[in-house]
Amino acid sequence: MIQTKGIAALKAKEALVPYRFERRDPKEYDVVIDIKYCGICHSDIHMTRDEWGFGSPFPMVPGHEIAGVVRTVGGKVTKYKIGDRVGVGCMVDSCRECAHCKKGMEQYCIPGNTMTYGSMERDGSAITQGGYSDVIVVNEDYVLRIPDNLPLDKAAPLLCAGITTYSPLNHWKTGPGKKVAVMGLGGLGHMAVKIAKAMGAEVTVLSQSEKKEIDAKRLGADDFLNTKSPKVFQENTLRFDLIINTVSSADLNMANYFGLLKLDGTLVSVGAPEKPLTIHPFPLILMRRNFAGSVIGSIKETQEMLDFCGKHNITPEIELIEPNQVNDAYARVLKSDIRYRFVIDMGKI
Ligand code: NAP
Ligand code: ZN
Ligand code: ZN
């Protein structure tokens, strides 16, 4: 077994603490990765607080924005070799047999994919543990290659924040001539702005934090709307083709946001709040608007996103922290006081 140093939540809503555990020795198709950096996603906070009612298993080592270097590989691995710069995102396995897995959409695996942490391994041997740790063992089919020009610390958040916004932007055909709005300028939101802009769309940020306007424009947004001002919704009706909702809270008047969509426009929620959103169908009915959801992206699409970010030199804005600062970082994320993603330097664990 591989001795591993990590940071874990031992119980829901408790502070994370140093935690030692063991990972499996590599099987034939496994890649052993020395983790260099791991991003902090708001989902880590929802999970460690057990806010989604999944019955999160504890102890839980969170982290699914993993960037590192291959330490060793199993005997039959062909895709990676020692020293390769690699990433791991939100899933480390899936059934591989269902209709969705066969179509290369493992994120929608019908029996459920194996999440990077908090899932039972498919062979029932252990609960998966995530990237707030110094090493991870992952089947080669769920490992991603990080382009050479992207530094590992900045590449880490692409593995969740990047793909979760790239996938719906891609699916709903973002490109020149399309007007896209992004709700919430946090970890996911700021990646959505950068990616949608690189895809050629006109991009508007919808934020409750007036003070983020300068940043939004610096990140590439063409426009910024302060959602605390009611007239913003009246003045911008029927404006957008696509809205990506990245807000982590359900405290939203959805009718206002639906009203911003054009006829046949789509609002995609990727934000996963603890409480349900309240929706009245009228604004959808009256303009044949669509309300949709989306979860991360497939392995193929994640590699495509990494290559797209490499080509366009897109990286997140990060604040690098040491492992012992994780609890303070969580408190700041909850206050929307982060510009725009915390990344933990796992070399310092
Ligand atoms: P984050 O960095 O905390 O950003 C969330 C943003 O939401 C904040 O920056 C803030 O933006 C806005 N916000 C927060 N509280 C709000 C409130 N009460 N009312 C209105 N706006 C509020 O979080 P993140 O890491 O980007 O994650 C965002 C959400 O996506 C989380 O729920 C996470 O679990 C979910 N997620 C889903 C997937 C998926 O596959 N679907 C993947 C990853 C994450 P402003 O200050 O600009 O308003
Ligand atoms: Zn995430
Ligand atoms: Zn499947």
Side-chain angles (χ1 to χ4, degrees):
M1 299 294 271
I2 300 174
Q3 302 304 316
T4 308
K5 284 193 268 183
I7 309 166
L10 302 181
K11 267 188 178 176
K13 299 188 168 67
E14 281 193 358
L16 277 67
V17 293
Y19 177 67
R20 304 247 168 169
F21 62 106
E22 292 182 329
R23 304 242 188 223
R24 67 173 183 266
D25 287 319
K27 295 189 275 186
E28 286 176 330
Y29 292 100
D30 280 341
V31 179
V32 181
I33 301 163
D34 281 323
I35 299 176
K36 302 292 183 194
Y37 300 98
C38 187
I40 295 181
C41 176
H42 205 118
S43 300
D44 300 342
I45 303 179
H46 293 304
M47 284 288 283
T48 54
R49 293 157 64 106
D50 199 12
E51 289 180 345
W52 289 333
F54 288 175
S56 290
F58 294 97
M60 174 184 286
V61 178
H64 57 211
E65 293 187 336
I66 299 167
V69 174
V70 174
R71 180 194 289 185
T72 182
V73 295
K76 292 198 173 159
V77 168
T78 56
K79 296 180 180 166
Y80 298 98
K81 60 178 189 326
I82 295 171
D84 283 354
R85 301 162 81 250
V86 293
V88 178
C90 299
M91 60 185 162
V92 288
D93 208 349
S94 66
C95 85
R96 302 170 185 240
E97 287 169 355
C98 72
H100 298 174
C101 280
K102 281 194 171 146
K103 278 193 204 149
M105 295 193 294
E106 314 83 0
Q107 76 274 37
Y108 299 112
C109 174
I110 295 168
N113 65 62
T114 308
M115 296 186 302
T116 302
Y117 64 89
S119 273
M120 179 58 79
E121 293 278 9
R122 299 211 95 78
D123 63 5
S125 59
I127 299 280
T128 55
Q129 299 290 10
Y132 298 5
S133 58
D134 61 349
V135 59
I136 193 165
V137 183
V138 181
N139 182 287
E140 66 172 341
D141 293 337
Y142 294 79
V143 175
L144 287 309
R145 189 171 296 284
I146 295 178
D148 289 340
N149 62 323
L150 300 182
L152 287 182
D153 54 352
K154 293 193 167 194
L158 299 177
L159 276 301
C160 177
I163 185 58
T164 302
T165 49
Y166 179 92
S167 183
L169 288 167
N170 194 28
H171 182 79
W172 274 279
K173 308 208 176 347
T174 298
K178 287 282 172 77
K179 292 188 178 128
V180 173
V182 177
M183 292 166 63
L185 195 64
L188 268 58
H190 93 295
M191 287 314 305
V193 170
K194 290 190 178 201
I195 293 169
K197 196 67 202 163
M199 288 175 168
E202 183 187 301
V203 182
T204 299
V205 168
L206 308 174
S207 168
Q208 52 160 3
S209 307
E210 200 177 358
K211 55 188 186 304
K212 291 184 183 170
E213 176 163 3
I214 294 167
D215 278 0
K217 302 263 173 73
R218 181 176 55 79
L219 296 168
D222 300 284
D223 199 3
F224 178 93
L225 303 179
N226 174 2
T227 55
K228 283 206 171 136
S229 155
K231 70 174 187 334
V232 146
F233 293 100
Q234 292 148 20
E235 287 169 1
N236 292 278
T237 53
L238 293 164
R239 177 168 169 187
F240 301 109
D241 299 285
L242 178 66
I243 300 177
I244 308 281
N245 172 18
T246 74
V247 173
S248 53
S249 156
D251 187 16
L252 294 168
N253 180 336
M254 292 304 289
N256 276 343
Y257 292 92
F258 289 142
L260 300 177
L261 288 171
K262 291 181 183 172
L263 172 71
D264 285 330
T266 301
L267 188 151
V268 187
S269 271
V270 292
E274 177 181 9
K275 301 212 172 76
L277 291 172
T278 306
I279 285 155
H280 198 293
F282 265 125
L284 300 175
I285 292 170
L286 294 174
M287 286 289 162
R288 202 167 59 188
R289 295 169 173 127
N290 307 288
F291 180 41
S294 178
V295 76
I296 50 171
S298 69
I299 293 295
K300 184 165 172 281
E301 199 177 25
T302 306
Q303 190 61 59
E304 187 184 299
M305 174 278 307
L306 285 166
D307 296 341
F308 178 88
C309 290
K311 183 173 164 209
H312 294 271
N313 228 335
I314 296 174
T315 52
E317 315 276 303
I318 66 163
E319 185 171 333
L320 199 59
I321 59 165
E322 299 201 2
N324 63 13
Q325 294 175 289
V326 164
N327 294 304
D328 295 339
Y330 274 26
R332 282 184 50 199
V333 172
L334 289 169
K335 285 192 285 180
S336 297
D337 174 26
I338 161 67
R339 305 281 190 279
Y340 280 90
R341 199 57 143 187
F342 285 113
V343 173
I344 314 167
D345 183 348
M346 293 316 314
K348 299 225 168 108
I349 196 167

